[in-house]
């Protein structure tokens, strides 16, 4: 019954239920009840946190962040975990992104909770990567909870997917909603900056198609884009989507539309990416292939540090080398083959990516 997107305030949660006409599939009523119950507690704690920290948050300066871009299952988490090992940076963790309204007040106590530790899986359910309350996490989860303007909610309320999918690129979204999203994002990063007083390394696949908005918020940000063989991305993302949806959905989806949605979403993401990539000033963008990172992680990271002027790589290399040593027994999830007709559809829709990055048809 637990959902990672259960940190809403009551008013925001009630509005989402209203938009869905309170239609919850019977099997997910316990999950919805728990989110509702939790929202009442969150509301009280959020008000207290705003009273205690509101002025400090508003006055906190934001160091230019580093954004990791790339479609889901392209290696963004692996790259995020690597760069987050550098002590000059900070990152949002699982607890902070799932409890963005209250983590300044509650994280220390939660970190000592034996119950939370027992309930937290040791590896992510979509793959075999390590998981914990302190593990780096994508900030899209926090934005989902803070402003409810995220394509993540298409998985929670699949019957309203067309409405929430607009928030992938924010094309054709009213300006007041865009401003609300910006305010929520800057507020979340300010809270993290107040806590850590360091530049943030931020990773969320939807940011891949929001470069213009990110530069409006953080004009001195730096960007790293990682890509992977599109066929592998399709296979892995389809598998992980089916797993994650079961963890957060409150309505039963029509799985017959899943292939179409993945193909359309990937194309929309990279149409926007290629349109906006030239907005990033020279010296603040670097692109790499997952396959190259997998083959020579230290070499690729050294190139990133040099390209983006992130500091002396030799100082962080021992830490990274030690972390990579812990991954030697990591096993990838097995993926099914793609049927020929579906493979043709993927190539036809994603041809610009195959061509730009040199992946074989």
């Amino acid at each position: 019954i637990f959902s990672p997107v259960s940190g809403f305030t009551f008013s925001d949660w009630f509005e989402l239920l209203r938009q869905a006409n309170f239609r919850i599939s019977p099997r997910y009523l316990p999950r919805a009840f728990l989110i509702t119950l939790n929202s009442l507690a969150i509301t009280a704690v959020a008000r207290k946190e705003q009273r205690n920290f509101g002025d400090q948050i508003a006055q906190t300066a934001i160091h230019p962040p580093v954004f990791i871009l790339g479609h889901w299952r392209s290696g963004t988490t692996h790259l995020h975990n690597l760069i987050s090992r550098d002590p000059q940076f900070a990152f949002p963790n699982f607890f902070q992104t799932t409890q963005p309204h209250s983590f300044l007040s509650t994280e220390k106590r939660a970190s000592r909770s034996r119950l939370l530790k027992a309930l937290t899986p040791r590896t992510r359910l979509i793959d075999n990567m390590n998981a914990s309350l302190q593990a780096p996490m994508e900030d899209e989860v926090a934005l989902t909870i803070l402003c409810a303007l995220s394509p993540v909610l298409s998985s929670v309320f699949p019957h309203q997917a067309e409405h929430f999918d607009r928030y992938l690129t924010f094309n054709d979204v009213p300006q007041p909603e865009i401003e609300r999203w910006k305010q929520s994002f800057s507020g979340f990063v300010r809270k993290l900056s107040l806590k850590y007083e360091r530049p943030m390394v931020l990773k969320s696949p939807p940011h891949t198609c929001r470069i213009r908005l990110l530069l409006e918020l953080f004009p001195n940000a730096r960007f790293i884009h990682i890509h992977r063989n599109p066929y592998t991305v399709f296979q892995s993302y389809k598998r992980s989507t089916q797993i994650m949806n079961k963890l957060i959905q409150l309505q039963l989806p029509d799985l017959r539309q899943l292939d179409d949605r993945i193909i359309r979403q990937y194309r929309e993401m990279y149409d926007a990416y290629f349109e906006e990539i030239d907005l990033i000033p020279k010296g603040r963008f670097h692109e790499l292939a997952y396959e190259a990172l997998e083959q020579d992680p230290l070499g690729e990271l050294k190139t990133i540090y040099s390209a983006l002027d992130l500091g002396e790589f030799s100082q962080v290399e021992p830490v990274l080398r030690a972390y990579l040593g812990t991954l030697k027994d990591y096993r990838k999830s097995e993926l099914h083959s793609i049927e020929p007709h579906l493979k043709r559809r993927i190539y036809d829709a994603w041809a610009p990516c195959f061509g730009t990055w040199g992946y074989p048809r």
Side-chain angles (χ1 to χ4, degrees), residues 67 143 149 166-175 177-183 185-186 206-219 221 223 272 276 279-280:
F67 285 100
L143 291 171
L149 304 174
R166 299 177 304 147
Y167 303 121
L168 177 65
T169 65
F170 279 84
N171 293 335
D172 303 319
V173 170
Q175 191 61 35
E177 291 189 328
I178 294 175
E179 294 304 319
R180 181 153 60 96
W181 179 85
K182 285 183 176 181
Q183 185 177 16
F185 197 7
S186 62
H207 292 338
T208 307
C209 47
R210 300 169 180 166
I211 293 171
R212 184 187 302 274
L213 293 176
L214 296 179
L215 285 171
E216 290 174 2
L217 272 176
F218 312 104
F223 299 83
E276 298 180 352
L279 297 175
I280 302 175

Side-chain angles (χ1 to χ4, degrees), residues 291-303:
E291 294 80 3
L293 181 66
E294 186 177 42
Q295 183 175 359
D296 182 16
L298 291 175
E300 288 298 313
L301 287 164
K302 184 176 182 179
T303 301

